[in-house]
Amino acid sequence: MNTKLRSIGRIFTLALLISCTVWQATAQVSYQSREEIPAKYKWNFSDIYENWEVWEADFKAISVDMEKIQGFKGKLGEGSDNLAEMLKIQEDLMKKAYKVYQFVSFQSTVDQKNMELMAKLQQVQLLFAQFGVATAWISPEMIQIPEATMKEWVASNPALKDHKFDLMDMYRLQKHVLSEEMEQLLSYYSQVTGTAGKVFTALSTADIEFQEVELSDGKKVKVTPGVYSQIVTNNLNQEDRKKAYEALYDVYYKNKNTYAAIYNGIVQANWAGARAKKYESCLDARLEGNNIPKDVYLNLIKTVKENTAPIRKYIELRKKVLGLEKYYGFDGSISLTDYSKNYPYEDAVEVVTESVLPLGKEYQAKLKKATESGWLDVYENPGKRSGAFSAGVYGVHPYMLLNYDETLDYVFTLAHELGHTMHTTLSNENQPFATHGYTIFVAEVASTFNERLLLDHMMENTTDPNERIALLTQAIEGIIGTFYAQTMFADYEYQVHSMVEQGKPVNAEILTNVWGGIANEYYGDATEKTKYSNYPWTRIPHFYNSPFYVYQYATCFASSAKLYKDVMEGDKKDRKAALERYLTLLKSGGNDFPMEQLKKAGVDLSKPETIMAVINQLDELVDQLAAELEKVKKS
């Protein structure tokens, strides 16, 4: 199927797919309303459309383009000019679609209580769903054009040049393209198959009732995910952390059978879709589109699971430093040192901008422009969604959401999201629309690369031992959260989907046992078990909203670590060549398969040493942290 046809559905999830969502602590800079926030800290929506009248014109124009596309039905095989003209109209439609959708979506993101915006968003979604049904004929008709003929057309017709990669890749996936009638039938179910995920969201947000607990200081608090994050990060009383943990997880535990039924529905839908498209497994269905070898996924799981010793060493170090007789999962966020420095936003922007200088002055200047030009929505306001993300609008620029709270963690979030923003900017500047969109398989490379640049820059420019400990802890937690945890999640998804494919039952008890088995392989007896230890599967949104997605965080982290080493180490000539390869990767959008793009940049994920490099890095960081802690102890 043509990539651009797939991408109209992907527009709905851009903020999810190119993102780093985090639970929010209480912001140091607090505004009672959005109107109070200075304009320089808010998105400039007029870069997309000056007003709603212009938006409305493009919204209507999409329907006109849809009608024009219908006029080519039965004619695509008549000649290259017909195909080129249809693709041009489709491209114009897609450019409008990005703008039409994001103009509404972004405004709704910072004003989720605005029902008028929600209604407009539903309008757009309905239009896109109609588009999917109306164009179900395109892929089956295009695939009837012989591959040899298509090669001749691409070679002789300049208007098809930009589409060469997508058009030729279509034949690799030929066996998964169904008849027009079957493709149309599947399109009717596109909304239905997403229902289970929507039920999860409703159950976990709109209908959830969080519990109240009384802490040791007599204060009563309702333990929402955000409050839980604050308590386990800042409350030094282990019993308070335990109360918050039990209060939060008990809410999900009580609904475990409902969550199991929802997840079973999602996995069953994935298996039905995979079989309908003639894939051997759900994993094959997710990987083959981007030509990712199955062994990359399975070897990642195997290699990481066999090398969890650095995590256990880190936990033992934390347990010793914190002086805990028993160590639980909810003890994992408490700082190892008395360090609570605030980082004002302007200072964070300055340090992040300074840290990317190794990528060149041109890169640095582009990043600086991003922070000064209405691309970032910085502070929390009532009605604004939590977390952070970066999402592009082709022909305009990326838009980056923050809820900046002056913590060290958010300084790294700023660097992370600016990595996405720069990746999107460079891809859009250097690629035609047909190949501007990079895959999720490479999406987290630039973001984690920027985080490593920031870590090294801050470590080089601080003499405060407590800040050094905080920075090393940040880096360690980043590897555990982005590399180890996501691989663990990927293992869980693979095991459950495999069970469904084999016709085995799925219920709450089975899901809990699967999770418990994997967790035991990762952590062993390093952490204490509780009644709720094996129930995190109930509340991880990626399982319900984007199956077989999270492994890419781990592969991207491994790729980023390898690229960083190449760019920053070795002789000048080698480093310069490595930097050029890396920047070429960021500029390449989706002009090749992601595995090939990474190989050109210098990364081969099929080799175990690429994965082991991250594991060894974690081991070294834990040793470095232990040394820094010993220095503080002696001083």
Side-chain angles (χ1 to χ4, degrees), residues 368-529:
K368 193 169 188 293
K369 178 183 178 182
T371 62
E372 297 175 344
S373 308
W375 297 16
L376 279 66
D377 204 89
V378 179
Y379 294 116
E380 185 178 26
N381 64 254
K384 182 178 178 179
R385 64 153 277 186
S386 63
F389 68 72
S390 176
V393 183
Y394 190 85
V396 185
H397 56 71
Y399 280 73
M400 199 173 123
L401 182 96
L402 300 173
N403 282 273
Y404 191 77
D405 63 6
E406 298 193 346
T407 62
L408 178 62
D409 182 62
Y410 231 116
V411 179
F412 277 83
T413 297
L414 175 65
H416 181 107
E417 298 304 335
L418 280 169
H420 288 310
T421 294
M422 290 303 299
H423 191 175
T424 301
T425 298
L426 291 171
S427 289
N428 289 358
E429 287 178 351
N430 291 276
Q431 294 295 319
F433 182 81
T435 56
H436 82 281
Y438 50 89
T439 66
I440 303 306
F441 196 79
V442 298
E444 296 295 337
V445 171
S447 55
T448 51
F449 194 109
N450 273 22
E451 286 193 69
R452 182 61 192 273
L453 284 171
L454 177 62
L455 172 69
D456 283 358
H457 178 76
M458 293 186 75
M459 285 290 287
E460 289 169 5
N461 288 278
T462 182
T463 56
D464 182 346
N466 287 321
E467 185 171 29
R468 293 179 67 82
I469 290 169
L471 286 165
L472 287 168
T473 303
Q474 179 82 26
I476 290 168
E477 294 291 346
I479 293 176
I480 292 175
T482 308
F483 181 76
Y484 275 96
Q486 305 305 324
T487 303
M488 180 181 174
F489 296 170
D491 192 358
Y492 171 82
E493 288 190 284
Y494 178 68
Q495 290 194 34
V496 176
H497 279 79
S498 296
M499 292 169 64
V500 167
E501 291 162 8
Q502 296 165 22
K504 295 180 179 179
V506 170
N507 56 42
E509 182 180 3
I510 289 170
L511 294 176
T512 302
N513 288 338
V514 171
W515 185 276
I518 298 170
N520 191 55
E521 290 184 275
Y522 271 69
Y523 298 102
D525 57 3
T527 60
E528 301 291 331
K529 306 298 188 293

Side-chain angles (χ1 to χ4, degrees), residues 33-183:
S33 69
R34 186 164 178 81
E35 289 69 29
E36 294 179 21
I37 302 175
K40 66 179 180 177
Y41 299 127
K42 294 189 289 190
W43 276 334
N44 181 4
F45 300 116
S46 64
D47 286 350
I48 306 176
Y49 291 116
E50 282 293 334
N51 52 54
W52 282 105
E53 287 73 21
V54 184
W55 176 88
E56 186 71 34
D58 263 4
F59 181 80
K60 292 177 179 177
I62 290 174
S63 295
V64 175
D65 287 342
M66 286 168 58
E67 287 297 321
K68 290 179 181 178
I69 290 173
Q70 290 300 95
F72 289 90
K73 187 174 182 180
K75 301 177 182 178
L76 295 183
E78 293 179 0
S80 65
D81 288 341
N82 277 359
L83 178 60
E85 189 176 349
M86 189 279 291
L87 290 174
K88 176 64 170 62
I89 296 169
Q90 179 187 290
E91 185 172 293
D92 290 342
L93 182 155
M94 287 301 302
K95 289 177 181 177
K96 296 185 190 83
Y98 269 95
K99 296 173 65 178
V100 163
Y101 177 75
Q102 297 291 38
F103 188 68
V104 183
S105 177
F106 290 149
Q107 293 187 66
S108 179
T109 294
V110 297
D111 188 8
Q112 293 188 315
K113 297 179 181 179
N114 190 321
M115 291 299 103
E116 185 178 347
L117 288 172
M118 291 300 295
K120 287 183 180 294
L121 199 57
Q122 290 173 3
Q123 273 185 283
V124 178
Q125 291 169 341
L126 179 60
L127 180 66
F128 288 178
Q130 292 170 347
F131 178 83
V133 174
T135 58
W137 59 271
I138 294 179
S139 290
E141 185 169 322
M142 286 177 67
I143 210 69
Q144 295 305 312
I145 301 170
E147 185 173 2
T149 301
M150 186 66 77
K151 284 182 179 178
E152 292 177 8
W153 287 3
V154 171
S156 61
N157 192 331
L160 294 177
K161 180 182 177 182
D162 290 347
H163 302 275
K164 178 180 179 180
F165 178 71
D166 281 338
L167 290 173
M168 300 318 302
D169 186 45
M170 176 177 64
Y171 296 96
R172 181 180 63 86
L173 301 171
Q174 183 172 1
K175 63 183 178 181
H176 303 298
V177 177
L178 307 179
S179 67
E180 177 186 343
E181 292 78 10
M182 287 299 296
E183 290 285 355

Side-chain angles (χ1 to χ4, degrees), residues 96 155 161 188 252 257 265 296 337 349 367 371 401 428 435 450 490 492 499 507 532 550 567 584 607 622 627:
K96 296 185 190 83
K161 180 182 177 182
Y188 287 138
Y252 297 95
N257 293 314
V296 169
T337 184
V349 169
L367 184 142
T371 62
L401 182 96
N428 289 358
T435 56
N450 273 22
Y492 171 82
M499 292 169 64
N507 56 42
Y532 307 106
V550 295
V567 170
T584 297
K607 294 182 177 179
V622 174

